[in-house]
Structure formats: structure tokens, C-alpha cells
């Protein structure tokens, strides 16, 4: 079963998107460097948002299954656009911070979960996605 999302063009390069199941709305605006006002997320900003939240969510699913507390985990994604040969996302530099020690026994599995999240796997191979993990919890 799919999830329906409806879109409405509001004018002035803005769209309202409505999530079918929850009726939650998101406003997008074209960025300033592409004729917009930049007063809300751009569509490509939402791709970066999707990547960061998907990586954290996929890690949390794994963590919940293994009774690991990930509360306080965070992510930062810096999106870089390129224009040659066409305007698109060129790089999504991602940093994940985990409230666990670097020697956590599930570290590799948690990192693998992040790197195989559905959004990461859905992006084009020519989009660079460097990912760093900071394990900041106290050791055992």
C-alpha cells in the first residue's frame, strides 16, 4: 500500500504538500539562488531532511529491536547543489552523533543500518554522501 501526498501550487514558486494519512501540511519555497524567496524548505532541502531523518529512524528501529536507547541521537546534513551539467543535488555531507560509546558492541550494526536506510539507497549514485559518526557516550 502506498502513501498519497497531494500538492497545490500556491504561486510565487511555493507549493503546499498534504500528507494523506495525517493531513499534515508542508510548505515549500524555491531557494533564493533559484528565483525564490527562500522562506521555507526547498524541495531539495526536503531530500536532505529525508536523508537525515531516515538514517536516524532506521538506526532507532534497529536499536529498539535490541533494547538500545538512542534518545539524544542527532544528525546534521549539509546539502550542496551543483549546476553542471544540470542543476541538482551534488553532495549531502552527513554527520551523525550517537549517545553511545565508541566501543559499543552494536556499533557496526547501527552504522550499517544508517548507511542502508531507504532514502540513502534511493539516491543517485553520483550524489556524494560522505557520512561521519561521532560516538560520544561514556565507555563501559
Amino acid at each position: 500500500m502506498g502513501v498519497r501526498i497531494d500538492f497545490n501550487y500556491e504561486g510565487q514558486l511555493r507549493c503546499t504538500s498534504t500528507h494523506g494519512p495525517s493531513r499534515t501540511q508542508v510548505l515549500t519555497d524555491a531557494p533564493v539562488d533559484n528565483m525564490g524567496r527562500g522562506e521555507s524548505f526547498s524541495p531539495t532541502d526536503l531530500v536532505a531532511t529525508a536523508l537525515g531523518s531516515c538514517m536516524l529512524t532506521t538506526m532507532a528501529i534497529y536499536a529498539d529491536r535490541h533494547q538500545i536507547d538512542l534518545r539524544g541521537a542527532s544528525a546534521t546534513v549539509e546539502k550542496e547543489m551543483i549546476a553542471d551539467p544540470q542543476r541538482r543535488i551534488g553532495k549531502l555531507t552527513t554527520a551523525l552523533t550517537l549517545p553511545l560509546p565508541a566501543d559499543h558492541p552494536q556499533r557496526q550494526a547501527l552504522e550499517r543500518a544508517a548507511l542502508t536506510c531507504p532514502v540513502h539507497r534511493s539516491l543517485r549514485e553520483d550524489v556524494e554522501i560522505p557520512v561521519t559518526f561521532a560516538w560520544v557516550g561514556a565507555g563501559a
Side-chain angles (χ1 to χ4, degrees):
M1 181 172 122
V3 174
R4 180 178 169 152
I5 301 169
D6 296 309
F7 303 88
N8 190 45
Y9 179 64
E10 306 292 339
Q12 299 182 326
L13 306 179
R14 291 180 163 208
C15 293
T16 301
S17 308
T18 304
H19 180 250
S22 69
R23 306 307 298 160
T24 301
Q25 292 189 322
V26 174
L27 175 71
T28 58
D29 194 9
V32 174
D33 70 347
N34 200 25
M35 302 173 36
R37 292 188 287 191
E39 295 176 350
S40 188
F41 287 94
S42 73
T44 56
D45 291 343
L46 292 178
V47 173
T49 302
L51 177 63
S53 62
C54 189
M55 291 176 97
L56 282 175
T57 300
T58 304
M59 290 178 81
I61 290 167
Y62 179 88
D64 286 352
R65 288 182 180 151
H66 294 88
Q67 293 78 48
I68 302 168
D69 186 1
L70 274 189
R71 284 179 294 179
S74 63
T76 302
V77 178
E78 184 173 336
K79 176 196 75 172
E80 297 177 43
M81 299 296 291
I82 61 172
D84 187 31
Q86 59 193 13
R87 184 175 171 83
R88 66 175 180 83
I89 297 169
K91 189 174 186 179
L92 296 166
T93 302
T94 305
L96 294 149
T97 302
L98 293 304
L100 300 171
D103 62 352
H104 192 279
Q106 295 292 329
R107 176 182 174 159
Q108 285 186 333
L110 286 162
E111 289 183 1
R112 186 172 43 256
L115 296 172
T116 58
C117 82
V119 172
H120 192 285
R121 289 189 295 186
S122 297
L123 293 169
R124 293 168 47 137
E125 290 182 12
D126 58 352
V127 175
E128 292 179 58
I129 310 173
V131 179
T132 59
F133 295 89
W135 297 85
V136 298

